[in-house]
Amino acid sequence: MEYIQIAGCRKPVSRLMKGTDYFVHDSYELVQNNMDAFIAIGGNSLDTAHIYCGGQSEEVIGRYLEDRGNRDELVILTKGAHHDQHGPRLAKKDIAYDLSLSLERLRTNYIDLYALHRDDPNTPVEHIIDALNEYIEAGTVQAIGTSNWTWQRIQEANDYAQRAGLTGFTFNSPNLSLAKANEPFWKGCVSTDEETCKWHEEVQMPLLSWSSQARGFFTGLFTPENRENADLVRVFYSDANWERLRRAKQLGEQKGLTAIQIALAYVINQPFPTCALIGARSEAELSSCNEGAITKLTKAEMDWLDLTADHKQ
């Protein structure tokens, strides 16, 4: 397992991050087995959120950490300030409510990586950075970041933080995958485009990608004719993505890997620090992800997979 450093976080962060949006009390034994297997391959970071499974995801993680006594060995990324039925929730009181409840559920007194789940362009970045820095100063949060924010808003926030002598965002968690999204998977979500990648490369901000394997697009279970999964059709079905899948299969055959392992390697081999959030639920799937994550791809291979080389011809 490889690791990256995120400014503010006191532990190295495994490049595979365990997705937990299926963690519920009724499947606690499965969660224990999944987490133990993930740790066994060197994984130490997991992704959750205030809203996942109606709060059960954080509760189950807290139960696991207490049972295993390994809180200080793991890196927890949790997210708050998601909108509700009334609209955006980025006020200071919203952040305070979500973070307080997350700490209680997780049975911990600190969060390694705390991200704002959604943005509200009508909320000034000054108010947001000021509010989050109170938790950094108190030691409640080690590092702050974003999920589903544009790079322009992140830069604006960090410019303010620098002027004010405060701590800015040190990581970003949008979608990044070899398959490019036609439209947001959920309203308000952000997928990484070419401009965002260039910005990440320039500032070297770590990117923690959700749906890093395009929700199973590269598994081989889907074809242009199979349109049973309406969300996958809507978001990832395109001629360009089918060509990316074909190339991932071809390169995988050359390297003794599957297309989905190549797709994961694509996320890990970006010219800036990255982690991939994965949904693997079995030892075999975890092993497959680990093999993909340690696979090295050249820039030429990356460009060819992403069709970038085609555009330069």
Side-chain angles (χ1 to χ4, degrees), residues 181-211:
N182 303 317
E183 61 181 73
F185 204 90
W186 297 283
K187 185 178 180 181
C189 285
V190 172
S191 289
T192 306
D193 57 15
E194 184 177 353
E195 192 176 70
T196 305
C197 282
K198 287 181 179 177
W199 179 79
H200 270 275
E201 183 175 4
E202 179 182 339
V203 302
Q204 287 296 298
M205 177 180 283
L207 186 152
L208 319 178
S209 171
W210 56 264
S211 289

Side-chain angles (χ1 to χ4, degrees), residues 5-12 75 110 112-113 136 139-143:
Q5 296 291 330
I6 295 178
C9 186
R10 297 174 197 144
K11 306 162 204 165
V75 174
Y110 73 97
D112 306 89
L113 306 172
I136 293 175
T140 309
V141 170
Q142 292 184 1

Side-chain angles (χ1 to χ4, degrees), residues 175-181 214 217-218 236 241 244 263 266 306:
N175 162 246
L176 169 65
S177 63
L178 178 56
K180 308 308 173 191
F217 182 81
F218 293 93
F236 290 119
N241 282 339
R244 292 184 178 101
Y266 169 85
D306 201 17

Side-chain angles (χ1 to χ4, degrees), residues 148-169:
N148 302 300
W149 279 45
T150 64
W151 71 265
Q152 292 92 337
R153 277 276 285 180
I154 300 171
Q155 186 65 63
E156 181 186 356
N158 283 358
D159 287 345
Y160 164 71
Q162 184 174 21
R163 292 194 306 271
L166 299 172
T167 299
F169 295 125

Side-chain angles (χ1 to χ4, degrees), residues 221-234 237 242:
L221 299 176
F222 302 98
T223 64
E225 296 74 33
N226 178 354
R227 307 182 72 83
E228 294 177 2
N229 188 320
D231 282 330
L232 208 68
V233 171
R234 175 176 59 86
Y237 276 37
W242 292 121

Side-chain angles (χ1 to χ4, degrees), residues 276-291:
L277 279 56
I278 59 170
R281 302 190 188 188
S282 69
E283 290 187 26
E285 289 176 346
L286 283 168
S287 178
S288 172
C289 287
N290 196 30
E291 190 174 356

Side-chain angles (χ1 to χ4, degrees), residues 15-311:
R15 300 196 74 179
L16 294 180
M17 303 190 79
K18 185 74 181 72
T20 68
D21 60 354
Y22 65 96
F23 281 19
V24 293
H25 291 291
D26 286 346
S27 63
Y28 185 58
E29 185 176 349
L30 171 66
V31 170
Q32 287 179 303
N33 293 337
N34 284 180
M35 283 300 302
D36 290 346
F38 178 63
I39 292 170
I41 65 168
N44 77 335
S45 58
L46 55 158
D47 165 76
T48 186
H50 178 267
I51 66 165
Y52 284 178
C53 305
Q56 287 193 65
S57 175
E58 289 182 325
E59 290 174 351
V60 169
I61 291 168
R63 182 178 168 188
Y64 175 83
L65 297 175
E66 194 168 272
D67 286 350
R68 293 293 189 265
N70 60 356
R71 168 66 187 99
D72 289 336
E73 299 169 20
L74 299 180
V75 174
I76 297 175
L77 161 62
T78 195
K79 303 178 287 294
H82 194 284
H83 60 257
D84 62 15
Q85 67 272 26
H86 303 297
R89 296 178 58 258
L90 260 180
K92 183 176 181 178
K93 64 179 178 61
D94 298 319
I95 296 172
Y97 176 83
D98 287 4
L99 178 54
S100 175
L101 190 51
S102 289
L103 288 163
E104 180 182 331
R105 291 169 174 168
L106 290 163
R107 307 186 192 187
T108 186
N109 60 2
Y110 73 97
I111 303 296
D112 306 89
L113 306 172
Y114 193 70
L116 299 176
H117 212 159
R118 291 286 195 276
D119 189 16
D120 174 19
N122 294 317
T123 302
V125 293
E126 293 85 352
H127 296 177
I128 297 168
I129 291 295
D130 287 350
L132 289 173
N133 268 257
E134 292 182 15
Y135 298 108
I136 293 175
E137 292 168 11
T140 309
V141 170
Q142 292 184 1
I144 56 174
T146 58
S147 182
N148 302 300
W149 279 45
T150 64
W151 71 265
Q152 292 92 337
R153 277 276 285 180
I154 300 171
Q155 186 65 63
E156 181 186 356
N158 283 358
D159 287 345
Y160 164 71
Q162 184 174 21
R163 292 194 306 271
L166 299 172
T167 299
F169 295 125
T170 58
F171 67 93
N172 182 29
S173 184
N175 162 246
L176 169 65
S177 63
L178 178 56
K180 308 308 173 191
N182 303 317
E183 61 181 73
F185 204 90
W186 297 283
K187 185 178 180 181
C189 285
V190 172
S191 289
T192 306
D193 57 15
E194 184 177 353
E195 192 176 70
T196 305
C197 282
K198 287 181 179 177
W199 179 79
H200 270 275
E201 183 175 4
E202 179 182 339
V203 302
Q204 287 296 298
M205 177 180 283
L207 186 152
L208 319 178
S209 171
W210 56 264
S211 289
S212 57
Q213 294 168 302
R215 305 188 75 79
F217 182 81
F218 293 93
T219 59
L221 299 176
F222 302 98
T223 64
E225 296 74 33
N226 178 354
R227 307 182 72 83
E228 294 177 2
N229 188 320
D231 282 330
L232 208 68
V233 171
R234 175 176 59 86
V235 178
F236 290 119
Y237 276 37
S238 70
D239 290 344
N241 282 339
W242 292 121
E243 176 60 17
R244 292 184 178 101
L245 172 58
R246 187 193 69 77
R247 295 187 183 195
K249 288 179 179 177
Q250 182 178 329
L251 186 58
E253 288 171 359
Q254 295 172 13
K255 294 179 177 290
L257 300 170
T258 63
I260 199 165
Q261 288 174 317
I262 293 294
L264 184 59
Y266 169 85
V267 173
I268 296 296
N269 280 271
Q270 295 295 319
F272 47 84
T274 56
C275 294
L277 279 56
I278 59 170
R281 302 190 188 188
S282 69
E283 290 187 26
E285 289 176 346
L286 283 168
S287 178
S288 172
C289 287
N290 196 30
E291 190 174 356
I294 62 175
T295 297
K296 302 302 180 186
L297 299 178
T298 66
K299 185 180 186 304
E301 288 171 332
M302 294 280 285
D303 287 347
W304 181 73
L305 284 169
D306 201 17
L307 315 186
T308 306
D310 298 25
H311 301 155

